[in-house]
Every structure is written in structure tokens, then in C-alpha cells.
Amino acid sequence: MEDFIQHLINGVSLGSIYALIALGYTMVYGILQLINFAHSEVYMLGAFAAYYTAIGLGRALGADLEPGIVFFGIVLIVAMAACGVAGLTIERFAYRPLRQAPKLNTLITAIGVSLFLQYTGQVIFGADPKSFPTVLEDRSLVSSGGIDLRLFDVTILLTGVAFMSGLHYLIHRTKTGKAMRAVSTNRQVASLMGINTDKIISMTFLIGSSLAGVGSVLVGMKYPQIDPLMGLFFGLKAFVAAVLGGIGNLAGAVLGGIIMGLSEEMVVAYLSSTYRDALAFGLLIVILVFRPAGLLGKWQTEKV
Amino acid sequence: MSETILDVKDLNVKYGAIHALKGVSFTVAKGEVVSLIGANGAGKTTTLRAISGMLPYAGSVSFRGESLKGVPAHDLIGRGICHSPEGRGVFPNLTVMENIELGAYTRKDRDGIAADIEHCFRLFPRLEERVKQAAGTLSGGEQQMLAMSRALMGRPRLLMLDEPSLGLAPLIVAQIFEIVKKINSEGTTVLLVEQNARMALKISHRAYVVETGKITLSGTGQDLLNDHRVIESYLGA
Ligand SMILES: Nc1ncnc2c1ncn2[C@@H]1O[C@H](COP(=O)(O)OP(=O)(O)OP(=O)(O)O)[C@@H](O)[C@H]1O
Ligand SMILES: [Mg+2]
């Protein structure tokens, strides 16, 4: 039983990272009906931005900058900014010129951008994994009866909840959020309201990408190894999480992320770690067969 | 008649190989209700979409003396043109209030916005009872009222309405046209696109008949109501 609760904690913590990244997929899909395959590479770039910032700050400040909430905060902001800029750039130069083109063209472009960044990443950062510097020291917060509540998991959870609540507020309570929902429902009519739809689409990429930046720091912290192909599997699983919840649906992305994190943790704990990555694809197949619109999605034909 | 505010000259639009507008010209003067009437596929919607910057076109469109060519759709509202599109185009997942507020997206005068929302509720009391409801759950007539309210929230100098009567019961249609008349009497110029020629002509100062991408007849609403060609083709027996 203690074991199970421990796995539950780990699973939800991992799940909230998937959720943060799944949100980016789902937001872009909601507004452009595009599966932004490059999103997983934006996440990878965030991890490297965080890595170099942490290394650089460590060198420059030495012992003056202890691992802790300030260090974590700085790295988080840099990663978010880096991802935001990366997302904006990709949208502006790869997707916007194809706005009137058939969706398949944009989809193929997205795959192209994704591959381009994977290989460019290997050239620039080197293909070998790098170990992520300690920006926050993990420690046990509560330890009793075989259950160990650790600082990392609490940090991950709180960070996830904070950003997801922020996003919820933005989407449902602000004028920009209202415009985002309008553009995702009907771009042409939205423009008749005086909404500059290109700006709103950029904003969507900016926000979704910076959430991936948050995810990348949390991953770097908890599983301290990063490499230019790290987005491949992690991003794919986050994507499956988005599909599981119902792509285009924000609450669905969060739910899908948590389910993905939990089931991965449980599979590894009670079956075998061999199935860790197979699980995502297994889930994908099951959803596609039984509930193609996802748990919270509405079925709509011809979307990709 | 007073000054011309909308001047459309030799408008040509092609959708690929389809030449949808073949030189449409017309004017709208300040304070008027002007209708474009015509059958399915005549090019009425295309005309409004071109004016709104949603389609590339040849020819010229000028509004209050300035060319609208190349002006993106989202800048039209700032110049005083609000377009309520064909099929209403309400945002179904947003509430009635959110839809109305989006009509005022470009405005910053909170008090003015609040006053205009009140004004919409006076025109369409049924909307006020449904402010928190998702727009997609409204009846067709209520959605049309919402679409018109939303367009009014942009404080238009020129209100363009594309088939407000589409798919509505006769009683509601009569109400909607009454309100168009009222909006006009309060000072808003209206460009109305309709298949319901009889109702449209009754409230129009002037009207144009559009047939396969061309204007074939024009005149005052009253003249066209009595024109035998209009009677035969558009008013039934
Ligand atoms: N997106 C499009 N692609 C290709 N052809 C189009 C498109 N939109 C309209 N057309 C064609 O252009 C012509 C004019 O269409 P338009 O929608 O302007 O007609 P309308 O007068 O508004 O008709 P209705 O009263 O049925 O709404 C039609 O022949 C139509 O098939
Ligand atoms: Mg039409």
C-alpha cells in the first residue's frame, strides 16, 4: 500500500510535466488544427537553454549562487523565454507562409522543422547526453511509513498547478484569452471583430512554447540528463497525452498528461520498465480505436 | 440624398476558374438602407466579403473617401464597418455575453461599451435573459439577434448584414427587419444582403438586383417592389 501511494505521487508528478507539454500541442492544434511536431524540439531547446544558463551562472557566480529557489527561478524564466522565442520563430517562418496552403503541407513542414532541430541540436550541442546541473537540491520533506514526499515532486506539482491555473485564468478571464477562443472557433469571423488573428496565433505559440520551457526545466531537474533527441520520446508521449484527453481541449491535455504519467509509473513499478515506452503507443492505439476524439474531445471530422 | 459613404466600382472576384463577380458597382449614401437582392449563388456574399477585405479583388472599394483595397479584415471595424456574416457566425462555445463583448474588442471606452450592451438588450430583450448561456445553445433567431448585437457593439457607421432572415420563421423575420429599420432610424447606415426580396425591399431606400455576378437592376425599394421583372423573378406570384 505504501508502495502504491509512493508510485501515485511519482506518477502525478511526472504526469504534470507531460501535461505542461501536452498543453502546447493542444493549444496550437486548437487554433490552427496543426499537430506541431516541432513542439518536442522546442522543449529540447528549453532544456539546453536552461543547461547553459545554469552552467554559465555557476561559473560566473561560483559559490554565490547556491542551488535553491532563486537559481531554479532564473533558469525557469530563461528556458521559458528561449522556448517562447523558438516557438514564435517557427510559427513566423515555417507555418505562417503556409497559412492558406492545404493542412497536409503544414503538417509535413512541422515534421521537417522537428527533424531539422534534432540534427542541428546534435551538431551544436553534441550528441552525447549532458548531465543537468543542480539548480535545486532534492530532499525529503515528509518521510513516514515507507512514503517519501520529496521536494522535487512537490516543486514539480506546485509549478505545474501554478502555470496551469495561470493558463486557465488567461484563457477564460482575459480579453486575449477570449480572442484566442474566438480565433480557434472561426478565424474569419474573429477577424471581423477586429482581432488580428496572426497576432493571436503568435501569442498562442508563445504561451504554449513557454509552458514546454517550464516542462523542460522540471525534467532536467528530476531526470538530470539531457540530449538533443530528448524531445523525441518525451514529446511523443506528451502528444499522446493530448490526444488521449481530446486534442484541442485544454482540460483534456491536463487529464491526459496525468493519466500518461500515472500509467507509466505503474507499468514500470508493477510490470516491467521494458514496457515504459510501449505504453504510450499502446494507449494511442486504444484511443484511436475506441475513442478517437479522446476522453474530453468532441468528434470532428477532417481536422489534421 | 446625402453624401456617398461606400462607393464600389467595377468589383471583380474570381474563385479559381469561377468568375463570381463580373464588375459590380453600387453606392451607399449616409443614412440609407441599401439592399442587394438576388438568387442563390448570385454573388451577394462575395460582394460583402470583398468589401471586408476577406477576398482579393479587382476594381475599387472606397469608404468615406478612402480606398479599402489591401486593408485587412481586422482593420475594417476601426474604420466604421461592421459585418455580420452569412450564417451568423456566433462563437458557439462562448457565452452570449462573451460574444457581445468580442464585438467591442477594439474599443477601450468601458462606459460606452456598457451603455451599448444595454442598448443591445433593449433591442433584443431575449438576449439579456441568456447572457451566461453558450451561444451555440440559442435558437436560430436568437443567434441572429446575437450576431446583430455583436456587430452593433463595434459602433458601425456602416452595418453590413448578410441574410439576417436565413432559416428563420416568418414572425422572427418580421421582427428582425423591424429592428434593422430601427437601427437605421437611430443613425446607422445599413447594407443588407437578402434573398427575402419582399421584406428587404420594404425597408430599403434603394436596392440593387444581383444576377450571376452582375447588377442587373437598381432603384428605390418601392420601385423595385412594383417592377414586373422583380415580381416575376423574386417576389413569386
Ligand atoms: N469559397 C468559394 N470557392 C469557390 N467558389 C465559391 C466560393 N464561395 C462562393 N463561390 C461561388 O461564387 C458564386 C457566388 O457565391 P456567393 O456566396 O457570393 O453567392 P450569394 O449570392 O451569397 O448566394 P446565397 O444567396 O446562396 O448565399 C457562386 O457561384 C459560388 O458557388
Ligand atoms: Mg450568400
Side-chain angles (χ1 to χ4, degrees):
Chain A
M1 187 60 200
E2 290 83 12
D3 263 13
F4 180 76
I5 292 174
Q6 186 66 52
H7 291 310
L8 209 62
I9 296 170
N10 296 348
V12 171
S13 145
L14 174 63
S16 49
I17 304 179
Y18 282 135
L20 283 171
I21 298 165
L23 281 168
Y25 279 107
T26 237
M27 287 172 75
V28 166
Y29 186 86
I31 211 144
L32 284 185
Q33 285 78 53
L34 164 73
I35 295 169
N36 178 18
F37 281 107
H39 190 58
S40 51
E41 276 57 54
V42 166
Y43 151 82
M44 175 272 288
L45 290 175
F48 276 93
Y51 170 83
Y52 286 113
T53 307
I55 299 276
L57 282 177
R59 286 217 187 105
L61 301 175
D64 290 344
L65 190 63
E66 297 277 304
I69 201 76
V70 174
F71 200 178
F72 170 71
I74 294 173
V75 167
L76 191 71
I77 288 167
V78 173
M80 288 176 72
C83 288
V85 170
L88 279 180
T89 310
I90 293 169
E91 189 279 320
R92 179 65 189 79
F93 294 104
Y95 302 152
R96 194 180 298 180
L98 296 174
R99 195 80 23 100
Q100 309 302 331
K103 290 191 182 130
L104 188 61
N105 300 23
T106 323
L107 189 69
I108 291 167
T109 304
I111 296 173
V113 173
S114 165
L115 291 172
F116 171 78
L117 292 175
Q118 282 171 21
Y119 292 104
T120 312
Q122 288 181 316
V123 172
I124 294 176
F125 309 131
D128 298 332
K130 294 189 164 38
S131 59
F132 199 81
T134 310
V135 296
L136 191 67
E137 207 84 62
D138 197 14
R139 62 190 155 85
S140 180
L141 294 178
V142 181
S143 184
S144 77
I147 298 169
D148 191 16
L149 190 62
R150 304 191 65 81
L151 180 67
F152 272 11
D153 292 321
V154 173
T155 309
I156 290 171
L157 215 67
L158 289 182
T159 311
V161 168
F163 280 99
M164 288 176 221
S165 318
L167 180 68
H168 184 86
Y169 180 84
L170 181 102
I171 300 280
H172 291 280
R173 294 275 177 276
T174 69
K175 198 167 165 178
T176 304
K178 218 183 297 162
M180 286 168 73
R181 285 183 288 148
V183 173
S184 74
T185 317
N186 191 332
R187 204 185 308 160
Q188 288 215 326
V189 177
S191 72
L192 292 179
M193 307 291 110
I195 298 171
N196 183 338
T197 56
D198 279 339
K199 264 197 190 151
I200 294 295
I201 292 168
S202 293
M203 185 72 90
T204 307
F205 273 82
L206 177 72
I207 295 166
S209 303
S210 52
L211 292 178
V214 176
S216 75
V217 172
L218 299 179
V219 168
M221 210 170 75
K222 176 138 178 159
Y223 311 94
Q225 266 215 339
I226 63 169
D227 70 87
L229 298 184
M230 66 189 283
L232 203 58
F233 269 97
F234 207 87
L236 204 58
K237 286 186 216 164
F239 166 65
V240 172
V243 175
L244 175 62
I247 193 142
N249 184 307
L250 297 177
V254 174
L255 178 68
I258 301 291
I259 293 177
M260 177 64 78
L262 271 176
S263 30
E264 186 172 323
E265 176 74 20
M266 297 302 169
V267 163
V268 173
Y270 296 108
L271 291 171
S272 154
S273 61
T274 328
Y275 298 124
R276 181 195 292 261
D277 294 332
L279 172 81
F281 299 100
L283 271 176
L284 184 62
I285 292 168
V286 171
I287 315 157
L288 290 180
V289 171
F290 293 104
R291 216 178 143 78
L295 297 172
L296 303 183
K298 288 193 202 93
W299 177 246
Q300 276 169 319
T301 43
E302 217 252 323
K303 270 278 177 164
V304 173
Chain B
M1 208 66 217
S2 58
E3 60 180 303
T4 296
I5 61 168
L6 181 72
D7 192 357
V8 176
K9 279 203 188 94
D10 198 25
L11 196 61
N12 276 270
V13 172
K14 287 181 182 163
Y15 295 107
I18 300 168
H19 199 162
L21 296 186
K22 304 165 193 153
V24 167
S25 303
F26 64 95
T27 59
V28 179
K30 195 170 176 190
E32 280 188 313
V33 176
V34 171
S35 289
L36 306 179
I37 60 172
N40 283 116
K44 308 178 296 294
T45 298
T46 304
T47 304
L48 293 194
R49 288 164 54 86
I51 295 170
S52 272
M54 299 164 88
L55 292 171
Y57 57 84
S60 75
V61 175
S62 67
F63 184 64
R64 302 175 74 228
E66 284 175 39
S67 169
L68 291 185
K69 198 157 210 172
V71 175
H74 64 256
D75 282 344
L76 264 277
I77 205 167
R79 294 181 180 234
I81 300 182
C82 295
H83 178 171
S84 172
E86 183 171 60
R88 304 161 196 134
V90 300
F91 299 108
N93 304 323
L94 273 62
T95 65
V96 168
M97 188 51 113
E98 286 173 329
N99 270 274
I100 292 177
E101 287 166 351
L102 274 171
Y105 182 78
T106 54
R107 292 172 58 183
K108 301 207 158 46
D109 55 323
R110 282 168 170 270
D111 296 344
I113 293 173
D116 286 353
I117 292 178
E118 283 309 310
H119 180 238
C120 287
F121 289 158
R122 273 196 302 279
L123 287 175
F124 305 107
R126 288 162 76 160
L127 292 181
E128 186 164 18
E129 300 155 21
R130 294 168 170 78
V131 281
K132 292 211 168 107
Q133 206 168 313
T137 64
L138 296 180
S139 74
E142 290 159 359
Q143 289 192 19
Q144 185 55 52
M145 296 171 189
L146 178 56
M148 286 171 64
S149 301
R150 193 177 60 177
L152 285 174
M153 290 305 294
R155 288 231 171 137
R157 296 173 199 271
L158 174 67
L159 175 65
M160 303 202 296
L161 300 172
D162 196 340
E163 295 213 38
S165 75
L166 190 73
L168 303 183
L171 204 65
I172 308 281
V173 172
Q175 273 180 26
I176 296 272
F177 279 97
E178 268 316 303
I179 288 172
V180 173
K181 231 168 112 177
K182 186 161 176 210
I183 291 168
N184 174 251
S185 70
E186 289 171 355
T188 306
T189 308
V190 178
L191 175 58
L192 178 66
V193 154
E194 262 301 338
Q195 278 198 47
N196 189 332
R198 188 184 308 275
M199 295 297 280
L201 292 175
K202 273 189 190 156
I203 64 159
S204 297
H205 298 99
R206 290 185 308 114
Y208 296 84
V209 177
V210 188
E211 265 172 45
T212 57
K214 288 198 183 103
I215 304 259
T216 52
L217 273 175
S218 65
T220 65
Q222 202 52 50
D223 287 349
L224 290 181
L225 270 175
N226 298 323
D227 188 292
H228 69 94
R229 290 161 295 184
V230 174
I231 293 173
E232 275 162 28
S233 306
Y234 301 105
L235 300 177

